[in-house]
Amino acid sequence: MTVLLALVRLAVALELLPAWAYGVGTILLFGVTLEALVRAYKPSLLPGLGLLLAGLGLGYSTAPAVLLALLGVGALYWAWAPQMSEREQASFWGWLLVWPAVGLLLVWQIFPSLYALWLSFLDRFNFIGQSRFAGLLNYEILLTRDPLFWKAMGNTFWFVIFTVPLGILLATLVAILLNERVRLLGFFRTLYFLPYITALTAAAAVWDWIYHPEFGFLNWVLGTPGLDWLSTPQGIFALAMAPLGIQLQGFWAGPSVAFVAIMVMSLWHLLGYQVVVILAGLQNIPKEYYEAAQLDGASWWQQQRYITWPLLSPTTFFLSTLGLIGAFQVFTQVLIMTPTGGVLQDTLTITLYMYNKGFRDSDFSYASAIAVVVFAVILVLTLVQQRVLERRVTYET
Amino acid sequence: MAFPFYWMLATSLKSPQEAQQAQPIWVPERLKPANWRVAAQLGAAGGTPLWGGYQDGRSVTLRIYTDRMGPEPQVFIPTAVGAFSDPRAEGTQIRTRYQGDHWEITFTNASGESFRLLPAVVLLSKSYSSYRPELPPDAVRSSGDDWRLEWVNLAPGALGYVFHNYREAWLAAPFGQYFFNSFITAGTQVLVGLLLAAMAAFALARIEFPGKNLVWLMILATLMIPGEVLLIPNYILLSRLEWINTYYALVVPWLASVFGIFLLRQFYLSLPRDLFDAARIDGASYWTQLVRIALPLSIPGLVTYGIFTFLGAYNALLWPLIVTDRPEMYTIQRGLQVFIGEAGSDYGALMAASTLAILPIVLGYFLAQRQFIQGVARSGIK
């Protein structure tokens, strides 16, 4: 009830509801509690009243009132605890323990998601000026008339293709090799894991320096002085096919060289995490399977193919779901390495685009529409992935 | 895998000219022990052996060994571009004389002020067939008939010499404040988040209360919400509450974590039920059960959650980017992002700042490696 009240207060703060709604809500809730208290005098209701008062104080952000009310709840509990029945105690403690987390989730996650949905129906909402309800206008513009959105979606698609299956394959390979040479396992695991705990901001700065056109290390290694990796917008498929006389355009030109450079950096960053998770999965596979296979004369490759791969599938499934969601959140490395989204927006990712729309163009409703579409896409993709992949996942019995 | 780290460290110890070589330099001059000794001597002459300095009244003497006594080198103190004059250039007495096999250049501070750095430029005729300054110059350029030898600091001291870029980066931006903000936000997020998650997870795993299924359903639904959806509404909420540029904005929205509740609930469910029943019969309240039994037994889970939360909060850029725009509220990553924009081509300072930014996490990782790796591995197994 207190949570509800806090939400009403929030809505008032956001000008979704008129100010008197809060007062009415308070009086109503207070009345209901008092009435219940008078009708069926139950000591367990008193702490509830205290919590209500706490919520009231929260609404007006007066810290002393909140503190006082919480102290009151404590005192009441002390006084009434011996008379409480077992069920009342469970109910009291259950709600008391769950309430802070649930309240925060409601205020900062569930309510905002609904609010984002509402915002996406408004016309150019920002702090200046009045915005009006525009229905599906934002979605219509986004889906039919916004090439940049589709560019960002295409980039995200390539990111998923290049980092998720490739990353997992690479990580599986590394993990299998590490798992067989146990002596240096600790050292290599440390080595592979280091990039994952490194802040992306700093890591991107280093890779930016490695990719530097004039003094970059990569150009020295490859003997390609002056090649500006991060400002090369040509698609890699187009570049590969050009000598054969095939001209690829648009989406089919593939991710740009600049975006591939960013993907390589992201692979480097993520590989350690994938390796560690897969290693843990590998160590859960009973050794007896391999021994039995060896007795039957199975080759190394057959062992990996028929024992490791299927028994590892829950882990790879988990990693691919995570990778899919992660790909839609790629932001930091793109912002650091190509602050403007690259030449011709060739490294624009969906989160960067949303950030630009919301915080540079101050169009919160359009950015919210992007967020809602992303939400829907992620939801559909994970559902599809579960339907398609989960059938192939082998759970050990 | 480790190469980018080596490259970051090596570059952070390079002078700008060393960094900007087409042919990479593997071991920068500042890593050579012979130079440390000279740097300490020069630093002691101008200030202290470790951190150097150019104090009022002190003299710093640099020797340049040459094959013979040729034309006298010209020495001056460079003034910053755009500055009208540098008090060092005005108030420094420079004497040069030839001593056996070397030129001795003495800088005496008569300006009445003390300085942190003593920059110097020496123009040495190209007619010398060989020359070797005691302290290798940070840059050598050709200037007409002369070699132009440049030092960013002639009185560095041993540490001031090796960590020149670090010191300059640290002083160029309020990194101390950034670190403080990062630790405060990440620390609060971990501690309060742990308590809230443990409380909720315990109630969901071990207490039968009306509405429990509803709460669980709500938490499951929250799991579906991707972070991007929350950015804009939460920003609007925070600005309506006038919480932008406060610690509240950095911490409060992410205090309750569904991931943490899930993880710990799983832990509490795996603990034997009898344990709690026994405590209940002995008259322990639910709170006592949580603090005395559940928390101590779930330490691995708490560590996993703590490490993940700390990493996430410390390494985050997007959220601090949105809710802070005043330097005194920047977290370290946000500060680094601004620094990257400002440092331009000073890659030495840039890499030094990046190294500083990752240092606490890397140190923590080496100290508690097992917890880190097991914690992460645990996140993948149900």
Side-chain angles (χ1 to χ4, degrees):
Chain A
M1 283 195 299
T2 322
V3 176
L4 265 177
L5 198 64
L7 279 179
V8 172
R9 172 79 185 111
L10 210 68
V12 172
L14 290 171
E15 292 166 12
L16 286 179
L17 287 176
W20 51 262
Y22 185 60
V24 171
T26 315
I27 292 166
L28 258 172
L29 279 175
F30 222 81
V32 168
T33 324
L34 267 179
E35 199 260 351
L37 204 68
V38 170
R39 199 167 39 138
Y41 184 71
K42 280 247 177 104
S44 58
L45 280 173
L46 273 174
L49 203 68
L51 275 177
L52 195 67
L53 281 170
L56 218 69
L58 258 174
Y60 285 109
S61 351
T62 42
V66 179
L67 216 68
L68 218 73
L70 282 178
L71 279 177
V73 176
L76 280 170
Y77 176 71
W78 268 111
W80 291 107
Q83 296 172 29
M84 275 190 188
S85 72
E86 185 76 3
R87 268 195 62 210
E88 278 170 344
Q89 279 224 357
S91 147
F92 173 76
W93 276 108
W95 276 104
L96 192 70
L97 291 179
V98 126
W99 181 75
V102 165
L104 280 168
L105 284 180
L106 270 175
V107 173
W108 295 107
Q109 303 208 2
I110 294 182
F111 173 76
S113 347
L114 299 176
Y115 187 50
L117 191 67
W118 165 248
L119 277 179
S120 70
F121 294 134
L122 297 181
D123 176 38
R124 231 194 133 76
F125 176 89
N126 49 33
F127 294 128
I128 321 150
Q130 205 70 38
S131 62
R132 56 185 180 77
F133 189 79
L136 294 172
L137 182 69
N138 284 321
Y139 293 97
E140 197 237 311
I141 296 173
L142 188 68
L143 296 174
T144 59
R145 280 183 273 160
D146 189 349
L148 276 185
F149 172 74
W150 290 107
K151 178 88 198 168
M153 279 309 240
N155 281 339
T156 305
F157 172 80
W158 287 125
F159 193 91
V160 172
I161 295 294
F162 275 70
T163 58
V164 178
L166 205 70
I168 291 176
L169 212 67
L170 213 66
T172 311
L173 211 71
V174 171
I176 288 175
L177 291 179
L178 282 185
N179 204 28
E180 293 189 353
R181 286 168 190 47
V182 184
R183 199 184 313 168
L184 285 174
L185 176 68
F187 172 72
F188 281 111
R189 202 166 49 179
T190 306
L191 201 68
Y192 277 102
F193 198 59
L194 206 52
Y196 178 66
I197 57 156
T198 308
L200 268 173
T201 322
V206 177
W207 280 84
D208 201 20
W209 173 226
I210 290 175
Y211 287 135
H212 194 282
E214 280 171 84
F215 316 116
F217 184 79
L218 191 66
N219 276 337
W220 177 75
V221 169
L222 298 179
T224 50
L227 180 53
D228 197 349
W229 294 91
L230 295 171
S231 333
T232 307
Q234 280 89 9
I236 54 161
F237 295 159
L239 281 180
M241 288 297 162
L244 304 175
I246 304 169
Q247 300 293 324
L248 293 172
Q249 295 290 328
F251 175 77
W252 299 108
S256 67
V257 173
F259 202 52
V260 170
I262 289 177
M263 287 185 212
V264 169
M265 184 261 158
S266 310
L267 258 182
W268 169 83
H269 178 77
L270 263 182
L271 193 66
Y273 174 72
Q274 294 170 333
V275 166
V276 167
V277 171
I278 292 175
L279 264 176
L282 281 179
Q283 271 152 10
N284 277 352
I285 301 176
K287 294 272 173 293
E288 291 81 32
Y289 292 175
Y290 293 101
E291 285 161 14
Q294 274 159 11
L295 282 180
D296 290 345
S299 71
W300 184 85
W301 174 249
Q302 282 171 326
Q303 288 175 38
Q304 306 311 329
R305 170 69 188 82
Y306 295 107
I307 301 174
T308 312
W309 187 247
L311 287 183
L312 210 55
S313 50
T315 311
T316 42
F317 177 65
F318 165 77
L319 283 177
S320 60
T321 312
L322 218 65
L324 189 73
I325 295 170
F328 280 89
Q329 298 182 337
V330 174
F331 174 78
T332 305
Q333 57 267 58
V334 181
L335 183 79
I336 300 288
M337 291 162 95
T338 54
T340 54
V343 180
L344 305 174
Q345 304 289 302
D346 63 322
T347 59
L348 190 74
T349 62
I350 202 81
T351 308
L352 184 64
Y353 186 49
M354 200 178 89
Y355 174 80
N356 284 343
K357 276 287 166 202
F359 297 98
R360 291 203 181 144
D361 301 352
S362 292
D363 191 346
F364 290 127
S365 35
Y366 198 74
S368 293
I370 298 174
V372 171
V373 171
V374 167
F375 176 43
V377 169
I378 291 180
L379 201 69
V380 168
L381 280 182
T382 25
L383 285 181
V384 168
Q385 198 189 17
Q386 267 180 352
R387 277 286 157 77
V388 175
L389 282 183
E390 190 138 55
R391 234 177 287 150
R392 294 164 180 255
V393 172
T394 319
Y395 289 107
E396 214 184 340
T397 44
Chain B
M1 293 312 281
F3 174 75
F5 291 102
Y6 170 74
W7 201 233
M8 171 164 68
L9 263 177
T11 309
S12 74
L13 297 174
K14 285 177 183 172
S15 65
Q17 201 180 34
E18 277 181 317
Q20 299 186 355
Q21 293 289 319
Q23 179 90 15
I25 290 173
W26 295 101
V27 182
E29 286 292 339
R30 288 180 189 158
L31 263 186
K32 294 178 181 163
N35 294 333
W36 300 350
R37 198 176 46 76
V38 180
Q41 282 166 5
L42 290 171
T48 61
L50 284 185
W51 289 105
Y54 187 44
Q55 289 171 13
D56 185 32
R58 300 280 197 101
S59 299
V60 176
T61 304
L62 174 79
R63 295 188 183 87
I64 301 178
Y65 296 90
T66 53
D67 51 337
R68 64 193 161 83
M69 180 174 167
E72 188 179 328
Q74 288 173 37
V75 185
F76 59 93
I77 292 183
T79 50
V81 183
F84 294 107
S85 68
D86 186 336
R88 269 167 292 202
E90 308 280 314
T92 294
Q93 289 160 8
I94 299 171
R95 277 188 312 127
T96 48
R97 58 181 179 154
Y98 199 72
Q99 284 275 356
D101 60 347
H102 61 265
W103 281 101
E104 232 176 57
I105 305 166
T106 308
F107 300 83
T108 305
N109 187 347
S111 64
E113 292 173 60
S114 294
F115 302 95
R116 192 163 51 79
L117 305 175
L118 168 61
V121 172
V122 173
L123 294 175
L124 195 70
S125 169
K126 282 181 180 169
S127 64
Y128 288 104
S129 62
S130 77
Y131 67 93
R132 185 179 67 80
E134 236 179 344
L135 189 71
D138 294 307
V140 181
R141 297 176 213 282
S142 177
S143 165
D145 289 336
D146 294 317
W147 292 115
R148 184 186 160 101
L149 314 180
E150 295 172 8
W151 285 267
V152 287
N153 186 8
L154 253 187
L159 293 177
Y161 177 67
V162 178
F163 296 110
H164 176 82
N165 289 330
Y166 288 85
R167 182 158 66 160
E168 294 311 304
W170 182 271
L171 294 171
F175 278 105
Q177 179 72 37
Y178 298 165
F179 272 118
F180 178 77
N181 292 340
S182 272
F183 277 111
I184 286 282
T185 49
T188 328
Q189 216 165 311
V190 169
L191 291 179
V192 181
L194 265 183
L195 185 70
L196 293 184
M199 277 163 45
F202 177 75
L204 287 169
R206 282 288 168 236
I207 305 177
E208 292 302 325
F209 60 95
K212 183 172 153 179
N213 287 335
L214 192 76
V215 170
W216 184 237
L217 217 71
M218 195 197 89
I219 289 174
L220 280 178
T222 314
L223 202 61
M224 304 286 229
I225 303 171
E228 295 106 315
V229 177
L230 302 174
L231 292 179
I232 283 162
N234 276 354
Y235 172 76
I236 294 172
L237 236 103
L238 288 169
S239 56
R240 283 280 157 85
L241 291 171
E242 295 183 354
W243 273 6
I244 299 298
N245 276 317
T246 62
Y247 289 123
Y248 294 125
L250 287 167
V251 175
V252 174
W254 314 112
L255 268 185
S257 142
V258 179
F259 164 70
I261 296 175
F262 250 87
L263 190 85
L264 293 174
R265 176 177 172 269
Q266 213 64 16
F267 243 92
Y268 296 146
L269 282 178
S270 70
L271 297 175
R273 215 198 151 77
D274 305 349
L275 221 58
F276 295 96
D277 290 342
R280 193 92 195 105
I281 289 165
D282 287 346
S285 73
Y286 285 110
W287 180 254
T288 319
Q289 288 180 40
L290 170 64
V291 175
R292 291 284 171 79
I293 305 173
L295 279 185
L297 286 176
S298 64
I299 283 178
L302 296 180
V303 169
T304 302
Y305 174 64
I307 285 176
F308 260 94
T309 312
F310 194 89
L311 270 183
Y314 184 89
N315 288 348
L317 175 68
L318 182 53
W319 189 245
L321 188 66
I322 289 174
V323 298
T324 61
D325 53 20
R326 285 213 311 264
E328 60 268 30
M329 287 311 301
Y330 284 174
T331 62
I332 182 71
Q333 307 306 335
R334 174 77 168 103
L336 183 64
Q337 185 249 346
V338 171
F339 189 74
I340 290 170
E342 286 169 355
S345 62
D346 189 355
Y347 281 94
L350 227 161
M351 291 300 114
S354 303
T355 312
L356 284 176
I358 65 167
L359 202 62
I361 295 281
V362 172
L363 278 183
Y365 172 58
F366 279 118
L367 288 177
Q369 222 182 98
R370 182 184 294 267
Q371 277 75 15
F372 261 81
I373 290 181
Q374 282 180 352
V376 170
R378 204 175 285 126
S379 76
I381 309 167
K382 273 159 251 129

